[in-house]
Amino acid sequence: KTSRFHATIGGGAVIAAVAAARLGVRSRVMSGLGRAALARLRAERVAVSNLKRPAEPHAITAALSTRADRSFVTFNGVNDVLERRLLDARARLRARHVHFAFYPRACARWVPVLRDLRAAGVTTSWDFGWNEGLLDDPRFPDLLASIDYVLLNEVEAPLYARQRSLEAALAAWRAAPHHTVVKLGAAGSCWVSRERDVRVPAPRVRAVDTTGAGDAFNGGFLCGVLRGLAPRECLRLGNFVGARSTRRAGGLDGLPARADVPASLRLPA
């Protein structure tokens, strides 16, 4: 039992899009969304392609957040049919960068989509979350090779690299053909690839709730990428946005606006 409860819209795509939009990036969410989410996204000046039909229920997640850990229970709702609709709607993608924030149940479906985007000059990123089923998909390595930026946290990095420790996982990710960005919680973040190995500490804040902080980091980091910042500056901006998001319950209310970004982060117009 708890005496504290906070209801808000959320999800990886929504939080990352709002985080980027508050920093001045034109963002669009393509997902299955309820009325409250649609209204909030419009207020945040985020465009929406809603793939949910009127009679269908949207997804609902109960996030149990403590100082030591987090657990999630999700009612899938429209998410059970969302992947097929996303595939059908891929022709509508018009962007410089496309960020994917879901668990692909069949990697083979998405490999040609990613390759087509790359051929068209569109960069991509993907945050899979924790989904052990990906390790059983024989096309998962092909999917990884087709992504420009793979975004993981400190427990997902060893899982998907099939390693027992974070350092062993980072060594494996360095040999990958893509850029791997690992979110390290209070320790900050790192960017590893064949060309570079960059670590940046996180700013210190009084955290209220860490739910959605990784997705907030994604929005800040990708804003840096799209603004042409150097890897270290992209990590610093991601760390700043992720840390600020933890000061309020839920993943949205603590997100900073462009005016909140300190001049030291050198965020260009």
Side-chain angles (χ1 to χ4, degrees):
K1 297 181 180 180
T2 180
S3 59
R4 291 187 293 177
F5 175 76
H6 180 73
T8 182
I9 70 166
V14 166
I15 295 171
V18 172
R22 289 193 179 184
L23 297 178
V25 176
R26 291 178 59 190
S27 303
R28 174 179 292 273
V29 170
M30 184 176 287
S31 188
L33 302 164
R35 283 181 289 183
L38 292 172
R40 178 65 183 268
L41 288 170
R42 291 190 188 105
E44 297 283 355
R45 298 184 179 181
V46 175
V48 176
S49 294
N50 192 12
L51 304 182
K52 187 182 82 66
R53 295 167 186 167
E56 293 174 329
H58 60 78
I60 301 172
T61 292
L64 311 177
S65 181
T66 70
R67 289 184 180 273
D69 203 357
R70 289 177 297 165
S71 294
F72 300 90
V73 179
T74 296
F75 162 68
N76 283 332
V78 70
N79 286 359
D80 283 333
V81 297
L82 188 57
E83 185 171 357
R84 169 53 62 186
R85 292 181 191 173
L86 287 168
L87 280 165
D88 293 341
R90 66 187 181 276
R92 285 187 261 158
L93 290 174
R94 297 288 185 274
R96 289 174 54 203
H97 182 92
V98 177
H99 175 60
F100 297 85
F102 63 91
Y103 162 41
R105 299 184 184 276
C107 293
R109 298 173 180 171
W110 291 100
V111 171
V113 174
L114 290 163
R115 290 176 178 172
D116 287 347
L117 289 170
R118 178 172 287 172
V122 179
T123 55
T124 58
S125 57
W126 205 311
D127 189 328
F128 302 106
W130 176 279
N131 287 287
E132 297 176 19
L134 282 171
L135 299 178
D136 298 324
D137 192 317
R139 298 297 304 276
F140 184 47
D142 294 330
L143 184 73
L144 288 173
S146 304
I147 303 166
D148 294 300
Y149 301 91
V150 176
L151 302 170
L152 308 167
N153 67 26
E154 58 193 323
V155 295
E156 294 158 1
L159 171 71
Y160 295 131
R162 302 178 187 269
Q163 301 293 330
R164 294 187 177 183
S165 70
L166 177 60
E167 289 306 316
L170 292 178
W173 288 117
R174 285 186 190 100
H178 50 72
H179 304 289
T180 305
V181 177
V182 182
K183 297 163 278 188
L184 304 171
S189 58
C190 64
W191 176 327
V192 296
S193 68
R194 294 171 179 173
E195 298 83 19
R196 57 180 57 88
D197 192 337
V198 183
R199 293 198 185 204
V200 175
R204 298 185 65 179
V205 295
R206 183 183 293 274
V208 172
D209 177 22
T210 58
T211 304
D215 299 309
F217 170 95
N218 293 348
F221 172 83
L222 293 173
C223 174
V225 170
L226 290 168
R227 292 292 187 260
L229 298 183
R232 183 174 298 277
E233 301 308 311
C234 292
L235 294 176
R236 290 181 66 208
L237 185 57
N239 288 347
F240 172 76
V241 177
R244 290 288 291 256
S245 77
T246 69
R247 300 179 309 154
R248 301 279 296 275
L252 292 181
D253 292 346
L255 292 174
R258 184 181 177 84
D260 300 321
V261 178
S264 61
L265 290 179
R266 295 191 288 272
L267 178 60

